[in-house]
Amino acid sequence: MPAVPQVRRVAMLSVHTSPLEQPGTGDAGGLNVYVVEVSKRLARRGIEVEIFTRMTDGALPMQCEIAPGVHVRNVIAGPFEGLGKADLPGQLCAFAQGVMRAEAARPEGWYDLVHSHYWLSGQVGWLAADRWRVPLVHTMHTMARVKNAQLAEGDAPEPPGREIGEAQVVDAADRLVANTVGESGELVDLYGADPGKVRVVSPGVDLELFTVGDVAAARGRLGLPRDAYVLLFVGRIQPLKAPDVLLKATADLLARRPDLRHRLVVAVVGGPSGSGLGKPRALQELAHQLDIAAQVRLVPPVDRATLALWYRAADLVTVPSYSESFGLVAVEAQACGTPVVAAAVGGLPFAIGGGGLLIDGHRTSDWSAGLESLLDDPARRELLSRRAVEHASQFSWERTTDRLLEVYTESLVARANSLRDDTLWPIEDAAELRGVPAAVIP
């Protein structure tokens, strides 16, 4: 019986956002966390990972090691600063050239597989995988056709070029990794993906970092009143993530319940991103307009350990996004024992399970009523807290990595088996080009 191909080295592509960046700033978010956490765990299992990303700072080294067995390669593609995500399609050729040069310096067949993240990376991954004759595994993270169907008021739709690019990657990939069953259906229904190529692999949570802890101690370290009602938003500040929904709901709540004005704290942890970069002070201005500036605390992005403190310090974590493929913030908060109030969109119903409250739509009155119902019911919050911890315990980066390895191996086996019908090269030559031992081909 032929041996099963082994994954030895993976080229991980993240064109538009670097694993070296602080999540919550610019375009850095859950994708960054995903790439870093999975790469570290792959390396612990003896698999070398090289993460290719675009250099955005001339002071950065061309490559660096972020964990044993995990190297980041900063590829020069366009000016280091001044380019937004919308400008990056014009730099994909330059980025691809950098990736190809890195591979050319290696022995033939160095990479066993390409795993690309987001459609820009998928475009480069498509070329690299084809050139190296290895499988392409692609994770969308977000999709234009999904976002455009659920736009926030005043937000700009994703351009047609992105939709076309995504469709091309969907067609080219050997396997497509979806965060949830719902997302797998969107790949099939909206992009015509072959259901046989789609695999569901849920993201994980660092269950050693995000844990239940002392609420009073967390509030003390963050400078929060011990007797406050703390509502928390964590994420990039842009219309898609809808932090304005929380502020408007807070103002509506305080209009009905002025008794809460001196106890309520609304913390927004994150930085401007995407279309929010054009109005970096929009939330400050909105807080003043709504007469809740005294209740709102705008906090720059924080490191992961401090983020865990914020989760523990909160009574409720809110995720009012218009679109989320999963909702990592929701599961991280639940792992810390904090119930979540979330919009019933995308992957959020799956992410929060029974550990929170789902709200249909983004109407201020609905959000205000939902928040009030939980703030007035400590027994229910305690029940949701227990459920949240139990639900979050089902997610871990180790489990995510287990499943991804299954997808990687499946892709290698399928690629090796396809060589039987290859008429361009003898079997032995084709196997060598693809980095797969000929012995695995029946």
Side-chain angles (χ1 to χ4, degrees):
M1 187 172 181
V4 176
Q6 299 298 307
V7 184
R8 302 161 301 165
R9 301 182 188 91
V10 173
M12 199 82 71
L13 306 187
S14 180
V15 171
H16 80 288
T17 180
S18 170
L20 303 177
E21 294 175 356
Q22 168 68 56
T25 61
D27 290 311
L31 186 157
N32 299 64
V33 176
Y34 188 111
V35 169
V36 170
E37 296 296 338
V38 165
S39 296
K40 288 179 178 178
R41 283 158 179 81
L42 287 171
R44 290 172 192 170
R45 302 177 190 211
I47 299 169
E48 296 180 48
V49 180
E50 288 192 67
I51 305 172
F52 292 84
T53 191
R54 195 180 77 86
M55 182 179 282
T56 56
D57 186 338
L60 290 172
M62 294 300 294
Q63 61 178 306
C64 62
E65 186 178 59
I66 60 172
V70 181
H71 288 84
V72 174
R73 284 184 174 267
N74 290 298
V75 179
I76 297 177
F80 298 144
E81 299 177 356
L83 288 185
K85 189 163 59 174
D87 302 312
L88 294 185
Q91 298 303 320
L92 292 184
C93 284
F95 189 90
Q97 189 261 4
V99 173
M100 294 301 169
R101 289 193 64 175
E103 188 271 344
R106 299 289 199 181
E108 191 170 306
W110 184 258
Y111 300 109
D112 299 302
L113 179 138
V114 175
H115 188 172
S116 55
H117 298 266
Y118 193 69
W119 79 276
L120 293 169
S121 301
Q123 287 281 314
V124 178
W126 175 17
L127 174 63
D130 184 68
R131 169 64 181 83
W132 302 340
R133 300 194 175 279
V134 299
L136 171 63
V137 175
H138 181 72
T139 304
M140 282 290 202
H141 292 282
T142 65
M143 292 181 277
R145 289 172 182 168
V146 175
K147 292 178 70 173
N148 286 345
Q150 301 170 335
L151 277 180
E153 183 178 352
D155 203 5
E158 295 296 317
R162 176 180 170 180
E163 292 190 36
I164 294 169
E166 288 177 341
Q168 291 171 329
V169 174
V170 165
D171 186 59
D174 291 81
R175 291 294 182 272
L176 294 160
V177 175
N179 289 329
T180 65
V181 172
E183 186 182 3
S184 70
E186 290 168 341
L187 282 166
V188 174
D189 296 339
L190 299 180
Y191 288 87
D194 176 357
K197 296 198 308 185
V198 181
R199 299 292 180 269
V200 176
V201 182
S202 297
V205 174
D206 187 340
L207 295 176
E208 295 181 359
L209 175 61
F210 296 105
T211 60
V212 177
D214 188 320
V215 175
R219 292 187 174 188
R221 291 184 61 180
L222 296 172
L224 296 169
R226 292 195 174 193
D227 64 344
Y229 288 126
V230 179
L231 305 179
L232 177 63
F233 170 95
V234 173
R236 288 168 286 150
I237 310 303
Q238 58 175 277
L240 174 72
K241 300 294 184 179
D244 61 298
V245 170
L246 172 59
L247 267 60
K248 292 173 183 176
T250 297
D252 186 69
L253 174 60
L254 292 178
R256 295 196 318 274
R257 296 284 303 277
D259 57 298
L260 296 176
R261 184 168 288 275
H262 298 293
R263 290 191 64 186
L264 196 62
V265 174
V266 179
V268 178
V269 178
S273 173
S275 55
L277 290 170
K279 298 179 179 179
R281 292 188 54 81
L283 280 189
Q284 292 96 320
E285 294 169 0
L286 179 60
H288 282 285
Q289 292 170 9
L290 296 172
D291 193 26
I292 58 170
Q295 286 73 39
V296 175
R297 299 194 183 191
L298 300 177
V299 182
V302 298
D303 60 61
R304 307 292 284 163
T306 305
L307 182 57
L309 290 177
W310 276 104
Y311 288 140
R312 294 181 193 124
D315 290 285
L316 298 171
V317 169
T318 63
V319 188
S321 305
Y322 284 88
S323 177
E324 288 285 352
S325 64
F326 180 64
L328 190 58
V329 164
V331 187
E332 289 176 346
Q334 290 181 109
C336 293
T338 306
V340 176
V341 181
V345 299
L348 286 171
F350 175 74
I352 74 168
L357 174 66
L358 289 170
I359 296 180
D360 290 322
H362 297 81
R363 287 177 297 186
T364 296
S365 58
D366 292 341
W367 276 83
S368 173
L371 294 173
E372 183 178 23
S373 70
L374 291 182
L375 290 177
D376 283 344
D377 194 343
R380 188 181 177 198
R381 291 204 310 275
E382 177 60 30
L383 174 62
L384 290 177
S385 175
R386 293 195 299 270
R387 290 177 177 174
V389 174
E390 181 180 359
H391 179 68
S393 69
Q394 302 174 49
F395 300 90
S396 74
W397 289 117
E398 291 294 341
R399 186 171 298 181
T400 300
T401 305
D402 287 341
R403 186 72 183 97
L404 276 178
L405 276 174
E406 292 175 3
V407 176
Y408 289 176
T409 302
E410 178 187 331
S411 300
L412 286 172
V413 170
R415 176 60 65 100
N417 288 339
S418 72
L419 298 183
R420 291 179 303 178
D421 300 323
D422 198 319
T423 58
L424 296 180
W425 302 278
I427 289 295
E428 292 79 9
D429 292 342
E432 183 180 354
L433 282 169
R434 299 174 192 220
V436 179
V440 307
I441 304 171

